[in-house]
Amino acid sequence: MIRKWSFSPYIDTKAVVRKIESESALLPYFSHQDGKYTYRMNERTRVYGLGEQIRGINKRGWVYESYCADDPIHTEEKRSLYGAHNFILVDAGKDERFLAFFDYPAKIRFDIGYTDSDIIQVTPENDRLDLYLIEGGTLKEIIREFRSLIGRSYLPPFFAFGYGQSRWGYVKEEDIREAVSKHREAGIPLDTVYLDIDYMEDFQDFTVNKVRFPDLKALSAELKEQGIRLIPIIDAAVKVREGYSVYDEGKEKGYFCKDENGEEFVTAVWPGRSVLPDFLNEDASRWFGNQYQTLTDMGIEGFWNDMNEPALFYSDKGLKTAFEKIKTFEGKNLEVYDYFNARNVFPSLSNSKEDYTAFYHRTPEGVFNHNDVHNLYGFNMTRSASEALQRIRGQRFLLFSRASYIGAHRYGGVWTGDNHAWWSHILQSIRQMPSLNMCGFLYTGSDIGGFGGDCTRDLLLRWLSFAIFTPLMRNHSAVGTRRQEAYSFGDTEDFRDIITLRYRLLPYLYSEFMKAALKNDLYFSPLSFVYEDDEIAAEVEDQLMVGEALMIAPVYTQNVSGRMVYLPEEMTMVRMHKGEISIEELKQGHHYIHIPLSDVVFFIRKGFAIPLCDPADCTDKLDYATIQLIGTSDSYELYRDDGVSLKASLENVRIISNSRERS
Ligand code: GLC
């Protein structure tokens, strides 16, 4: 029997909810035995889904786990990243297509043809889950229905589509001013600069270091004059320090997670010893959300929420045990396995199962051990911030998170966390985008140039050439790595031309984003979702459709000056070279396309056109009056609004053409 367990607020209450309440309704898809849900695939079955994960768009051939993980090494053998997106879209041919959503907030395993290459087996830790099945129709129709179930995607403000510069290590306001002026001097457009943990006083949330950032309000106003918004980070954990008002108040009100003895559970993250706000407790969540006002009062219009899996470096208890354990090795002749065990004592302290089972949440449904609701923590932090910002600002705000669960897309976007300056991570990002879109995370992107490791000029150019199409377009890197701002590699022209193209494309990108959000559609889709009968397109995983009219085929290998591209139909190839746009019609089929580092190439579907406007150095200055259409249609359905109102509707769509505007 499948029990309904409706604790987490992931379901949009306005949506029509169709739950399966009896086991027989699972047939003919799954059999349910010993707590496992089993499905047999045929030879050509393709499995989409799982949102933010490693590997391909087709998930077949690996085993994945949903257990939000703070893991900065995103390699192929991993099983979890930061998000828990428990859905699979199974395509076994036209007669058998369905989506299964396992609404379950603890650890759940998706074996998709790993143990047995023809079997999908889904294994939750216990049976407290809700299962939703959506069947029939095209892949896009199934996704639309799923999205109407889980609710409408978050709508960012227009400026959030501009280019953002970020770096862990901008420690003082001069660093921020320098980043801005160097972009402006090189003519590289820029809309946002991110403040990483360095702006805080001792890494305490909602504080500003007064020596290094003496007047954040004035800085924010000064930059806004230049069309730039500052976007600070907020971490989940709160520093234990008497006299720090957020700690004092949260403690007094009992808003932090407690251990089994009712004492605050003390862990350590960036600020050292810290406590975790209980975002699953409605009062605590509202209280934490209200704290954002400290920064919105300084003119801040957006935030990124981090470390909310939650990431735990070590706990008081764990550290004590580790020191005891390490002492047992002292003076011993360490055989090789002893050495490995000794070496692992401290690294294994982070994000440990012992810690995740050592604290509790006070929810409206009662008290829950963290491990049983682990995947809801980041979701609820984003909800807390989003609801508060809506209350405080009454306008759209920029917000994205690292950890997430299905439904968090209603409150903010996500970025894909601590990737690396690896060529394989451009490809990984290409593949993550449509899977994230399927479960509603439309506002998403990865750290351009890679967060960890040293970036090179060619890597950054290629990454940017892809990322000009991602709604969140942010260059971010870790402290200690090689500088990778677009002006850091000597000449800046190629960087300027590519980022400028992003701004010229914004009327299209924003319009397609908003239409996708309002219609529960995909912004990025795999080719197979558009060309359903094309068996070649079905296997293409390094090209994507962007909105209705565009296809992209990014270059993601080093030392090549082009790549093979598959055109499922006749298309217009658009090339940007040194800021100039040229077009060429290409036939259906495979083509080798020459794409030097300085060029960006993309494709417009036959019978479609896209709007391009004149360049601008920030979104505030984009001039829609300069729009020209290119492609093989003389009209385009343009969505346009003021970019800030919470209310958005398809009534803002109008048909435009090159000759004149139509209504
Ligand atoms: C985490 C974030 C990263 C950030 C760093 C310091 O690793 O994922 O983006 O720069 O913390 O705040």
Side-chain angles (χ1 to χ4, degrees):
M1 196 43 206
I2 299 149
R3 276 177 36 196
K4 278 197 281 171
W5 191 68
S6 301
F7 159 62
S8 57
Y10 29 69
I11 293 304
D12 186 341
T13 45
K14 291 185 290 301
V16 184
V17 176
R18 295 191 289 111
K19 290 189 185 187
I20 291 159
E21 302 192 21
S22 77
E23 194 140 27
S24 60
L26 288 172
L27 301 172
Y29 304 124
F30 291 101
S31 65
H32 183 209
Q33 241 182 345
D34 304 330
K36 297 179 195 308
Y37 298 83
T38 307
Y39 172 82
R40 176 168 288 279
M41 296 183 275
N42 68 37
E43 219 174 290
R44 71 164 292 285
T45 303
R46 283 184 277 271
V47 184
Y48 302 98
L50 296 180
E52 183 187 32
Q53 264 293 359
I54 43 124
R55 298 211 169 211
I57 297 176
N58 180 353
K59 296 311 226 203
R60 190 165 178 167
W62 189 242
V63 57
Y64 309 84
E65 278 171 2
S66 287
Y67 198 71
C68 297
D70 160 37
D71 182 344
I73 312 292
H74 308 167
T75 41
E76 271 185 36
E77 82 276 14
K78 292 296 163 74
R79 296 180 177 189
S80 304
L81 294 178
Y82 310 90
H85 306 138
N86 304 336
F87 75 102
I88 48 175
L89 170 54
V90 178
D91 180 9
K94 281 208 166 57
D95 300 331
E96 187 155 309
R97 277 186 186 142
F98 67 93
L99 183 146
F101 166 35
F102 297 82
D103 200 354
Y104 180 73
K107 187 185 273 184
I108 180 167
R109 179 183 148 104
F110 292 84
D111 180 334
I112 317 244
Y114 167 76
T115 306
D116 176 330
S117 47
D118 293 328
I119 300 289
I120 296 180
Q121 197 157 66
V122 182
T123 317
E125 278 185 346
N126 59 49
D127 66 352
R128 289 181 302 186
L129 64 72
D130 284 345
L131 174 59
Y132 299 82
L133 285 179
I134 297 170
E135 52 189 336
T138 63
L139 295 169
K140 279 193 162 198
E141 281 163 1
I142 294 176
I143 288 297
R144 238 176 261 139
E145 215 176 321
F146 176 46
R147 297 264 299 284
S148 71
L149 176 74
I150 60 177
R152 195 190 81 182
S153 297
Y154 149 81
L155 303 177
F158 187 59
F159 80 79
F161 292 80
Y163 179 53
Q165 178 55 48
S166 183
R167 182 164 170 93
W168 176 11
Y170 290 156
V171 296
K172 49 187 188 311
E173 63 174 34
E174 289 73 44
D175 297 340
I176 306 293
R177 286 205 183 91
E178 180 186 270
V180 171
S181 60
K182 287 201 166 166
H183 279 88
R184 290 284 180 256
E185 280 158 24
I188 303 169
L190 186 70
D191 261 80
T192 44
V193 178
Y194 288 76
L195 297 174
D196 206 320
I197 47 176
D198 319 282
Y199 80 91
M200 298 179 197
E201 176 70 35
D202 292 338
F203 308 131
Q204 295 170 156
D205 278 340
F206 312 112
T207 65
V208 179
N209 183 295
K210 285 277 176 284
V211 176
R212 293 179 283 108
F213 291 87
D215 193 344
L216 192 68
K217 189 171 182 178
L219 180 68
S220 150
E222 168 195 324
L223 295 179
K224 195 151 174 208
E225 289 279 296
Q226 301 173 53
I228 307 279
R229 269 91 168 171
L230 286 173
I231 311 296
I233 194 170
I234 299 294
D235 284 329
V238 167
K239 186 174 178 68
V240 173
R241 174 179 274 175
E242 275 169 32
Y244 162 41
S245 66
V246 180
Y247 173 71
D248 288 344
E249 205 180 307
K251 185 177 163 70
E252 190 210 314
K253 299 206 161 117
Y255 286 161
F256 300 122
C257 294
K258 306 257 170 39
D259 66 15
E260 59 188 2
N261 304 317
E263 302 291 327
E264 263 138 34
F265 173 75
V266 179
T267 179
V269 201
W270 303 123
R273 294 179 75 243
S274 316
V275 284
L276 296 166
D278 187 356
F279 292 109
L280 281 74
N281 168 333
E282 290 293 320
D283 294 337
S285 169
R286 202 178 157 87
W287 163 78
F288 192 89
N290 287 338
Q291 310 297 321
Y292 285 76
Q293 189 160 359
T294 313
L295 290 154
T296 56
D297 283 350
M298 298 180 192
I300 298 300
E301 297 174 40
F303 296 89
W304 46 312
N305 278 349
D306 191 22
M307 309 301 272
N308 50 6
E309 294 69 33
L312 310 180
F313 293 171
Y314 57 84
S315 63
D316 275 2
K317 200 170 151 201
L319 200 60
K320 188 164 172 277
T321 318
F323 276 115
E324 283 163 9
K325 204 158 164 198
I326 205 78
K327 280 198 198 109
T328 65
F329 294 99
E330 204 178 344
K332 266 195 187 164
N333 173 23
L334 292 190
E335 298 296 340
V336 67
Y337 291 115
D338 286 336
Y339 166 68
F340 286 149
N341 288 335
R343 205 173 61 168
N344 203 24
V345 166
F346 286 97
S348 66
L349 279 179
S350 297
N351 308 319
S352 72
K353 180 96 175 181
E354 287 76 40
D355 284 348
Y356 285 140
T357 47
F359 63 96
Y360 295 82
H361 298 277
R362 270 163 215 288
T363 81
E365 315 289 316
V367 175
F368 283 84
N369 182 272
H370 174 77
N371 186 55
D372 290 335
V373 288
H374 174 73
N375 291 335
L376 298 180
Y377 194 78
F379 168 104
N380 279 293
M381 182 184 183
T382 309
R383 182 161 81 102
S384 154
S386 184
E387 289 179 347
L389 290 169
Q390 197 152 327
R391 276 195 305 273
I392 297 165
R393 284 184 47 76
Q395 275 196 339
R396 283 188 234 164
F397 43 83
L398 171 52
L399 179 66
F400 57 88
S401 167
R402 198 170 69 173
S404 61
Y405 183 76
I406 295 284
H409 70 288
R410 300 200 300 276
Y411 303 106
V414 288
W415 97 101
T416 58
D418 299 347
N419 60 3
H420 270 77
W422 296 337
W423 290 87
S424 60
H425 276 187
I426 302 182
L427 182 59
Q428 178 178 279
S429 175
I430 294 169
R431 291 173 170 172
Q432 285 172 326
M433 294 296 115
S435 308
L436 276 163
N437 275 202
M438 288 176 207
C439 54
F441 293 99
L442 299 185
Y443 191 71
T444 181
S446 58
D447 287 350
I448 300 167
F451 172 75
D454 293 330
C455 185
T456 54
R457 177 178 186 273
D458 53 353
L459 180 71
L460 187 61
L461 285 169
R462 292 303 195 194
W463 208 314
L464 284 166
S465 300
F466 160 59
I468 58 172
F469 298 98
T470 62
L472 167 61
M473 184 191 178
R474 180 180 75 142
N475 179 331
H476 179 53
S477 52
V479 63
T481 59
R482 181 182 185 186
R483 297 296 288 252
Q484 64 186 49
E485 292 87 353
Y487 51 75
S488 303
F489 297 96
D491 60 307
T492 48
E493 292 76 22
D494 291 343
F495 294 96
R496 182 200 58 208
D497 293 346
I498 293 171
I499 298 169
T500 298
L501 178 61
R502 154 70 162 215
Y503 282 70
R504 300 199 61 195
L505 283 164
L506 271 181
Y508 175 75
L509 302 177
Y510 181 68
S511 169
E512 292 300 306
F513 180 97
M514 294 299 283
K515 287 191 282 185
L518 296 171
K519 293 182 189 172
N520 291 324
D521 254 328
L522 296 172
Y523 168 88
F524 279 121
S525 44
L527 270 50
S528 55
F529 280 47
V530 176
Y531 304 98
E532 286 213 345
D533 299 321
D534 184 332
E535 284 298 310
I536 298 176
E539 293 185 2
V540 174
E541 296 211 351
D542 60 356
Q543 302 177 199
L544 294 175
M545 309 305 296
V546 182
E548 236 195 331
L550 278 195
M551 185 182 81
I552 57 170
V555 177
Y556 53 89
T557 34
Q558 192 162 24
N559 298 324
V560 299
S561 50
R563 56 162 287 177
M564 293 301 298
V565 178
Y566 177 64
L567 265 53
E569 60 179 326
E570 201 178 311
M571 288 187 179
T572 306
M573 179 171 78
V574 182
R575 176 182 298 276
M576 186 285 296
H577 173 72
K578 300 216 174 296
E580 297 298 320
I581 302 285
S582 60
I583 57 172
E584 184 185 338
E585 304 303 327
L586 291 184
K587 296 248 168 303
Q588 188 273 343
H590 285 96
H591 298 262
Y592 175 80
I593 309 289
H594 178 61
I595 315 173
L597 283 171
S598 57
D599 291 15
V600 178
V601 166
F602 59 87
F603 305 85
I604 305 178
R605 294 177 67 191
K606 192 179 159 68
F608 288 83
I610 65 154
L612 266 188
C613 68
D614 283 358
D617 63 10
C618 61
T619 52
D620 286 349
K621 292 195 200 147
L622 267 193
D623 184 0
Y624 273 59
T626 61
I627 285 179
Q628 288 291 319
L629 297 186
I630 53 169
T632 49
S633 163
D634 66 358
S635 66
Y636 173 73
E637 289 187 4
L638 181 79
Y639 176 97
R640 190 186 176 187
D641 63 14
D642 63 6
V644 291
S645 306
L646 288 170
K647 208 173 157 304
S649 96
L650 289 168
E651 283 166 19
N652 295 327
V653 174
R654 64 215 163 107
I655 298 174
I656 57 163
S657 65
N658 268 342
S659 42
R660 62 191 169 90
E661 247 181 42
R662 295 189 237 146
S663 57

